[in-house]
Structures are given as structure tokens and as C-alpha cells.
Amino acid sequence: MNTKPGGDAHDDNVDGVDAVAAGLAAEYAAAVSAIATAEAHAMSVLARAQAVGLERVAEIPRSAGREAELPLRALAAELGACARQPDRSVQRRMNDAHTLVTRFAASFEALAAGVVSVGHVRSIVEHGVKLTDPEVRAAFEVEALERAASTTPGRLGPQLARLVEQVQPTTFAERHKVARKSGGVWVRDVEDGMTELLLRGPAVPVHGIHDMITHIARDVLNTAHAAETADAAEAAEAGAHEESDAEGEGEGDEVPVDSRTLDQVRADVLMEMVLTHRIDTETGEGLGDGHGGLASIRATVNVTVPALALAGVTDDPAELVGRAPIDLDTARILAKSVPGWERVLADPITGGVLAVDRYTRSADLTRHLRVRDPHCRFPGCRMPTHRCDVDHGQDFALGGATDHRNLCALCRRHHVLKGETPWRVKHHPGGVIEWISPGGLHYVDTPPPVTVGFVPDVEDAPF
């Protein structure tokens, strides 16, 4: 039904049918379908890039070892730099897209037609890739697509997990033995100075860890609650006639109410246990301020702090260099534990590093680079400096100078990429790095502005 301008609100509803809502729903569904088609196009490009990379890899002798992967790295870097995306992520997506196109063609066609979403397809591939028999996998895919047409990706996953169990040629025990090799721990930075620690491991010990920190967290909260209750009872026994005499006195001795949730205490408990190897459930020591274990961190991080913020004049956030913003309370705690400070002179307009010095004897040039380059200088890469190499833009053996105008931080992946593939680098004044891709495209990486930095005395650090 078409509504008339200025018409009655009830014009939108005829016989209980909300025409406006129905129209919006149809329009949204069409937009989601168009997104799926666009995603399929992007995956098609990535799959073709993977195919080209594999062809080039096949031309390299098998004795080349890990160097055989370089054509794929170079292609991923080319695509990632052009699209302003991390090349590591692009390389993973290239592999995933190639798997989808070559092993799950029906799902790819459904995505291109806008029939299913990326979430549906990811779930199908995630479960179906476990099936090594092409005929079994094809039959699974047909059934999976039928179910995807009538449910959400979240509900589809458990259904497919059960379906795979029904057609799997191997036992669960055999598959679990293989899956254990995929365990690991990852870090993912999120918003507002927070970071997620992700652990993948066998179900029993991982659930055991969660159960253990849950019990400890409950003990901490119960202890706080008991102290609060006892304090209230003691105050009640004092009687009304004593309240006036005690007014305004002893307020600093009151037991603070712990208002944290169980999840919040769990997080504090885990940080405290890992960083200090201890926990005090009776007193909650180290858990009351939400900074569990910070004081035990010793010089493994590089933090940039605005000088006025460190002095308490402004509230500008600090930064865990190359990773994520952090709150000033955390920065101040870390600042107290570092063995030495560096003074950084920054350009008042651009914020770029002009000079770095230290009152104790040190490698000035290395310190200058460590502050100027908080992370790898390949476009989009955020590998922290302490995990990077120092690279000569122009090879030292070919006359390249060992100074800040010819040096920069490169992670091992991009160091190898520069040295073993057609990717090239040019250094410009102010620490600006220009990358030239094999396809002839140019990308400029400018060092981020800094104010005051403090970095650790880590003599055995690679950078």
C-alpha cells in the first residue's frame, strides 16, 4: 500500500498488516543479498590470486623450503596494500576463498546469487572441510545449503556439526588427536584500550581453567560481601546514641563495596595468576583495583605517554606502542617499574621524532629508531618494534649508510618480502618510507607522531 504525504498513521496498517515494516524488511533483505553477491566477487578475485600464487610456487624447486611461499606473500602484500588491509589477513582470505571456490562450488554459487550469506558459507566450509571424500562432501553440501535457506548462521552451525558426525569416515577420538595440534594463544586488540586473549585447546583443561577462575572469583566476591555484612552489623550494634558522636569519623576505615560482576573478577583473577603466579582469595590482594598483576610487568613493552598527561595536567590516553591505546593509570604503574627513561624531542607541529637521548650510556641510533618506528613499517603491519629487525633501505654492502635516514623496523615477514621479492623501498626525509609493489603501485608509510616515550632496557631484543 502506498502511503499519502500527511496521511493518517493508520494508513500504514491495513487489516493488521504493517506495510511500511514489510517494505523495509524486503528492502533490507535485498541489500543483504547484494552484499553477499559483492562478497562472492571479492572471494573470486582472492581465489584467482591464490591460484596464480600457487602456479608460481610450483615453478620453484622443492628444495627452496619456506622461500617457496614468497610468491603468495608478494601477491597478498600487493592486494592488501591496494585495499588498505593487512597482508597477513589477505593471504589467509586468499587461501579460504580458494578452498571455497574449488571445494565448495555449490556454496560459492549460492553466495554469488545472494541466496545465502557469508556467515552461512563460512559455517558450511568450517564443518565441511573436515570431509576428505569429495562425494561425501558434495552430499553434505547439498543438505547444508537446504538447511541454510531456512535458518540463521548461528543455528546452522550446530546442525552441520551433527550432520558431519553422521557422515564422518573417522572416529571422534581420531579427529580430536589431530585437532589438538591446532591449539594456540592469540591476542586481539579491541576498542577503548582493551585487548582479548584467546586460548584454543582441548575442551576439558580449558573448561577446567574457566571453572577454577570462576570459583576463585566467587570466593573474592563472597569475602567482600561478608566483610560488608560484618561491618554493617558492627555499626548497628553501636546504637543510635553513638552514631552522632562517630559522625564524620572513621569513614576511611569502611570496607568498600565490590561492585564488579563475576566476569570482571574472573578477568582480574586470571591476569593476577598468570602475571604473579599467586592469588589471595582472603584479601583479594591485587584484584581490588582492576590492574591485577600490572606491577609485576618488567620492561617488555614500549609505551608512549603524553608528558602533560603523565603529569596529570591532561587526560590524553597513552599507547601500548604499535598495539592499542591504554589508560593513564596503567601507564603510570608501568612507568614506575621501568629501569630507565628516554627523553624524546618531537616536532611541535607533526609530532615526528627529532631526537632521542639518555643520560646513561646507550646505543643512541637504535633508541632513536625504536621510538620513531613503534611497529613494522610495511603499510598496515602492526608488529611491535621489539619483534622486528633493523633493515637497511640501501644494502650496507652496496654503500648504504647505517643511520636513521637509511634504517627502519621491519618484521621478519616483510624483511624477507623486501629482500626476496620484487617489492622495493625508498627512504625519504622525516622517516617516511615509500614502498613500490611488483605491480608498480606506490604506498607511503609515515611514522606516527609521539610525545614522551619510555622503553625497556632489553639488551637481547632483536631491535
Side-chain angles (χ1 to χ4, degrees):
M1 173 181 177
N2 294 325
T3 59
K4 299 177 181 179
D8 192 290
H10 294 289
D11 289 346
D12 295 336
N13 190 298
V14 178
D15 296 330
V17 177
D18 190 336
V20 172
L24 289 173
E27 187 175 351
Y28 178 68
V32 170
S33 179
I35 291 173
T37 300
E39 287 279 3
H41 184 196
M43 289 184 182
S44 175
V45 175
L46 292 170
R48 296 204 310 270
Q50 180 77 358
V52 170
L54 292 175
E55 290 176 0
R56 295 177 180 177
V57 168
E59 297 172 357
I60 300 176
R62 294 185 178 181
S63 59
R66 295 186 62 184
E67 295 180 1
E69 188 194 7
L70 289 177
L72 286 168
R73 288 190 185 183
L75 267 172
E78 181 87 58
L79 272 63
C82 189
R84 299 181 299 281
Q85 295 178 340
D87 59 304
R88 289 180 176 86
S89 299
V90 171
Q91 188 170 349
R92 287 194 296 270
R93 292 190 65 197
M94 285 167 53
N95 182 69
D96 292 345
H98 189 261
T99 298
L100 172 63
V101 171
T102 58
R103 300 174 64 183
F104 296 86
S107 297
F108 174 73
E109 292 174 1
L111 180 67
V115 176
V116 296
S117 70
V118 172
H120 290 105
V121 168
R122 284 176 180 164
S123 186
I124 292 173
V125 174
E126 177 187 354
H127 293 89
V129 76
K130 304 170 186 176
L131 303 172
T132 56
D133 187 320
E135 293 184 1
V136 173
R137 187 170 60 245
F140 161 84
E141 188 177 13
V142 171
E143 177 67 21
L145 287 171
E146 289 182 2
R147 299 189 183 192
S150 59
T151 190
T152 64
R155 290 187 176 184
L156 179 64
Q159 294 182 29
L160 297 187
R162 291 190 294 270
L163 182 59
V164 167
E165 285 298 320
Q166 296 171 6
V167 298
Q168 272 283 17
T170 57
T171 66
F172 176 82
E174 293 171 331
R175 298 197 306 277
H176 178 69
K177 184 177 181 180
V178 175
R180 289 178 68 97
K181 299 178 181 179
S182 66
V185 178
W186 302 270
V187 168
R188 185 167 70 93
D189 295 320
V190 293
E191 68 283 349
D192 300 329
M194 301 296 283
T195 297
E196 294 178 344
L197 180 67
L198 310 175
L199 167 65
R200 178 186 175 91
V204 172
V206 172
H207 278 288
I209 292 172
H210 187 269
D211 186 61
M212 179 181 68
I213 63 175
T214 297
H215 280 295
I216 295 175
R218 283 176 176 157
D219 286 344
V220 170
L221 290 176
N222 290 338
T223 299
H225 178 70
E228 178 190 355
T229 302
D231 187 61
E234 182 179 348
E237 291 177 1
H241 64 282
E242 296 181 358
E243 290 182 5
S244 58
D245 296 335
E247 185 175 356
E249 299 179 3
E251 293 180 356
D253 298 329
E254 293 181 358
V255 178
V257 178
D258 196 331
S259 61
R260 292 173 296 171
T261 66
L262 183 62
D263 277 338
Q264 291 169 338
V265 180
R266 263 196 291 248
D268 289 338
V269 165
L270 183 59
M271 288 187 290
E272 178 75 10
M273 292 180 67
V274 172
L275 292 173
T276 69
H277 308 291
R278 64 178 177 79
I279 195 73
D280 188 343
T281 57
E282 294 297 324
T283 65
E285 181 182 354
L287 297 175
D289 56 5
H291 293 296
L294 276 181
S296 64
I297 295 179
R298 288 293 182 270
T300 58
V301 296
N302 182 349
V303 176
T304 296
V305 191
L308 293 179
L310 194 62
V313 177
T314 69
D315 295 325
D316 296 334
E319 180 186 6
L320 182 59
V321 176
R323 303 304 300 177
I326 61 175
D327 63 282
L328 285 175
D329 287 341
T330 297
R332 292 186 181 108
I333 291 172
L334 294 176
K336 294 177 182 178
S337 67
V338 296
W341 282 79
E342 295 172 342
R343 185 178 67 187
V344 181
L345 179 62
D347 186 293
I349 298 177
T350 66
V353 178
L354 298 179
V356 179
D357 61 26
R358 190 180 178 97
Y359 292 108
T360 57
R361 191 174 179 180
S362 62
D364 294 336
L365 177 59
T366 298
R367 297 189 184 282
H368 175 92
L369 295 172
R370 286 165 64 186
V371 174
R372 188 198 71 186
D373 299 347
H375 46 63
C376 171
R377 296 299 304 280
F378 185 83
C381 184
R382 289 174 56 82
M383 184 65 70
T385 296
H386 66 274
R387 297 182 184 174
C388 292
D389 301 327
V390 179
D391 175 69
H392 285 74
Q394 181 183 4
D395 196 342
F396 178 78
L398 300 178
T402 303
D403 62 31
H404 66 90
R405 292 165 295 185
N406 189 48
L407 296 175
C408 70
L410 292 182
C411 69
R412 187 57 53 84
R413 174 188 178 89
H414 294 123
H415 196 173
V416 173
L417 187 76
K418 170 183 171 290
E420 303 296 334
T421 74
W423 277 90
R424 293 293 176 260
V425 166
K426 287 185 179 179
H427 285 248
H428 297 285
V432 175
I433 308 295
E434 180 183 6
W435 288 81
I436 300 93
S437 77
L441 300 179
H442 294 242
Y443 304 95
V444 175
D445 187 77
T446 303
V450 300
T451 48
V452 173
F454 59 90
V455 295
D457 269 334
V458 185
E459 298 300 333
D460 58 347
F463 185 64

